[in-house]
Each structure stands twice: as C-alpha cells, then as structure tokens.
Amino acid sequence: MVLSYSAPTLDADLDPARGVVTGTFAEQFDQVAASVIAPQTRSAMITTSATVNRAGLAQARRTASTRWCSWTRPRPPGTRPSRVTQSQVRVVLLPVEGRWLISEVSPL
C-alpha cells in the first residue's frame, strides 16, 4: 500500500499510505511524497505497485514490533526495460490508538 501508486490516482493512492505511518517516518514520507514521488510520478506518468512476498517477525514487545519484509516491485514502464526488483526491509511498528503503524523502514 505505501509503495503502490499511479499518476492518475496519485493523491487517492497516497492518502491511505499516510494513514499507516507515524512519527518521524510519517514526516519523512510526506516530504518524499511531495518532493520526489509526486513530481516524478506525474511527469513520467508512472504506475508502480509493490507486493509483499514474505514477512517475518524479528522482535515483538508490547511497545513495538520489528518485522522484516521482502517484496517485489515492477520497474515503471518507460524508464528502463521493464523488470521486477526485489527488496528486503526492516519495518518497525508502534501501537497507536489500538493500531500498529509503521514508524521506521530501513533496508536490509
């Protein structure tokens, strides 16, 4: 959800992503969305979607949960030959008002 968006529906795609992030990461997400994602997506008419292939629990506490995720993401058409990229990240989740929200994402 956070890494899936399309030029024609960009604002509607990014709004739900903003609902699952918190803290400093939410501020960083807003900055990157406004300064990088939105301009590039609109000018190049990019559509991208990310699909989580695997996820695992690295650490769990009542105050935070750390998970790792592996996802695939097709390269936007027109940028290079279309191909799927794979990434792994560490995701830290914090409980906020009864929901677990993303507070940090870092590459592995």
Side-chain angles (χ1 to χ4, degrees):
M1 176 193 313
V2 174
L3 298 174
S4 297
Y5 46 85
S6 177
T9 58
L10 185 61
D11 293 329
D13 295 338
L14 292 178
D15 283 343
R18 288 184 178 103
V20 297
V21 296
T22 190
T24 304
F25 184 71
E27 295 169 13
Q28 293 169 344
F29 180 82
D30 279 340
Q31 289 173 345
V32 170
S35 65
V36 178
I37 294 172
Q40 290 181 3
T41 299
R42 288 188 174 117
S43 69
M45 294 304 292
I46 293 171
T47 295
T48 185
S49 64
T51 304
V52 175
N53 297 325
R54 298 180 308 173
L57 181 63
Q59 183 180 40
R61 298 186 313 255
R62 287 161 78 174
T63 58
S65 174
T66 304
R67 301 178 182 271
W68 62 266
C69 297
S70 172
W71 77 80
T72 57
R73 182 176 178 174
R75 240 180 243 258
T79 55
R80 294 188 200 166
S82 185
R83 81 172 210 226
V84 173
T85 58
Q86 295 187 4
S87 302
Q88 290 186 347
V89 293
R90 175 180 163 266
V91 179
V92 177
L93 304 162
L94 296 177
V96 177
E97 298 178 4
R99 297 174 52 213
W100 288 89
L101 303 180
I102 301 169
S103 67
E104 181 184 334
V105 175
S106 55
L108 291 177

